[in-house]
């Protein structure tokens, strides 16, 4: 080598992500080994989580207390990433004979076997891609009355699935891509009280978009002919449920049954 230098790793996390009008995100809030390539995703998710809360607060749409949910949601993720990258770096660089044997002999034999089943590959992908991050303990996550027993809970990321919209192929995430909150009404389209839907649009104009997800093919409905999207939500074609999806793609509120009162209160 013509030139060499030492690369110093830092393993640090901010004690708090907010101090008054100052917020920390990305490497300012947590810095760690690049092992596992988790840093960029973590920083982007910090920014997205904080971004929509700042925007709604500055526009006067949300109470400023919504900003207090940033740290409780993102600080645990930062600590988890620090633990994961620290362990991965330690394993990758350890000179302990047992660790070296496990790293060079055991892991190459076991990892392909673990990843061979689809469930193993899915778990590994969701962990490394950070698509499995959830905010179930957040003050913004609420499971309402008769919430489905299966499927994603409040605070989980909304799953994706192919759907048809006005005869065109689309996806659940594609239909809910525009900025803002999205209400997803699952089940037969004639289930939902028109007066309560009108109340939502009246109280929150230009803030909430309402979608209908159904196995029936009807105009202005997210058509799920094979029930794949409904199954990923823990539902059958005959079940009724409501999901409120936050601007960052996580479920803020969910409930079962035909009433929208809990959604309106949320």
């Amino acid at each position: 080598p013509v030139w060499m230098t030492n690369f110093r790793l830092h393993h640090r996390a901010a004690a708090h992500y907010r101090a008054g009008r100052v917020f920390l995100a990305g490497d300012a809030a947590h810095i760690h080994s690049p092992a596992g390539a988790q840093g960029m995703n973590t920083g982007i998710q910090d920014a997205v989580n904080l971004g929509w809360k700042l925007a709604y607060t500055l526009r006067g749409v949300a109470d400023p207390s919504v900003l207090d949910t940033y740290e409780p949601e993102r600080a645990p993720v930062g600590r988890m990433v620090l633990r994961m990258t620290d362990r991965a770096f330690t394993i990758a660089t350890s000179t302990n004979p047992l660790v070296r044997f496990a790293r060079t002999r055991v892991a190459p034999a076991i990892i392909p076997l673990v990843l061979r089943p689809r469930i193993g590959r899915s778990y590994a992908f969701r962990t490394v891609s950070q698509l499995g991050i959830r905010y179930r303990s957040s003050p913004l996550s609420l499971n309402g009355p008769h919430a489905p027993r299966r499927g994603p809970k409040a605070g989980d990321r909304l799953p994706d699935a192919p759907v048809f919209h006005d005869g065109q192929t689309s996806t659940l995430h594609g239909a809910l891509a525009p900025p803002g909150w999205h209400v997803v009404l699952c089940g037969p389209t004639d289930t939902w009280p028109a007066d309560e839907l009108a109340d939502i649009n009246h109280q929150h104009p230009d803030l909430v978009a309402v979608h209908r997800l159904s196995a029936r093919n009807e105009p202005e409905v997210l058509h799920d002919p094979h029930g794949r999207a409904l199954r990923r939500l823990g539902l059958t074609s005959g079940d009724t449920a409501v999901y409120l999806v936050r601007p960052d793609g996580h479920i803020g509120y969910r409930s079962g049954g035909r009433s929208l009162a809990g959604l309106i209160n949320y």
Side-chain angles (χ1 to χ4, degrees):
V2 177
W3 176 81
M4 295 179 63
T5 186
N6 290 327
F7 173 61
R8 184 179 297 277
L9 287 177
H10 293 270
H11 182 82
R12 304 169 183 268
H16 296 286
Y17 282 27
R18 179 185 186 181
R21 294 168 61 86
V22 178
F23 294 85
L24 301 180
D27 287 356
H30 40 73
I31 186 167
H32 47 79
S33 162
Q38 300 291 294
M40 185 182 71
N41 276 355
T42 306
I44 290 173
Q45 291 185 0
D46 286 347
V48 172
N49 187 293
L50 178 60
W52 70 263
K53 296 171 183 177
L54 278 173
Y56 284 142
T57 301
L58 294 173
R59 287 170 49 192
V61 175
D63 188 279
S65 62
V66 74
L67 294 171
D68 294 332
T69 66
Y70 169 61
E71 180 178 321
E73 290 186 351
R74 295 304 302 169
V77 177
R79 290 192 292 268
M80 179 269 292
V81 171
L82 257 68
R83 289 194 301 269
M84 177 189 297
T85 57
D86 185 56
R87 291 168 182 169
F89 183 80
T90 300
I91 292 172
T93 59
S94 175
T95 58
N96 181 289
L98 290 178
V99 176
R100 290 180 61 184
F101 178 79
R103 183 177 68 227
T104 60
R105 302 290 184 177
V106 178
I110 292 181
I111 290 177
L113 298 177
V114 174
L115 297 181
R116 184 174 298 171
R118 184 175 180 180
I119 188 172
R121 294 196 306 272
S122 176
Y123 177 79
F125 173 77
R126 291 180 64 82
T127 300
V128 175
S129 65
Q130 297 194 18
L131 296 181
I133 287 175
R134 55 199 188 190
Y135 309 129
R136 289 185 180 180
S137 59
S138 168
L140 293 180
S141 302
L142 179 63
N143 293 289
H146 312 295
R149 298 178 61 183
R150 297 178 297 170
K153 307 292 191 295
D156 292 358
R157 185 173 183 269
L158 183 77
D160 198 13
V163 295
F164 290 90
H165 189 208
D166 293 334
Q168 302 295 318
T169 58
S170 182
T171 64
L172 195 56
H173 281 184
L176 275 59
W181 292 75
H182 295 269
V183 175
V184 183
L185 306 175
C186 305
T189 56
D190 56 357
T191 298
W192 312 104
D195 56 336
E196 291 186 341
L197 288 176
D199 190 29
I200 293 174
N201 291 324
H202 176 72
Q203 290 189 28
H204 308 286
D206 303 322
L207 179 67
V208 178
V210 179
H211 311 266
R212 293 174 173 84
L213 176 65
S214 176
R216 298 180 186 178
N217 188 9
E218 299 181 14
E220 299 183 0
V221 167
L222 299 178
H223 182 212
D224 185 20
H226 305 296
R228 188 174 176 183
L230 291 170
R231 284 196 300 273
R232 290 192 171 181
L233 292 171
L235 306 171
T236 67
S237 59
D239 292 334
T240 56
V242 179
Y243 291 84
L244 178 62
V245 184
R246 305 174 358 167
D248 57 7
H250 288 260
I251 299 168
Y253 173 87
R254 69 178 193 132
S255 65
R258 300 166 184 252
S259 175
L260 298 178
L263 172 68
I264 295 172
N265 289 335
Y266 179 93

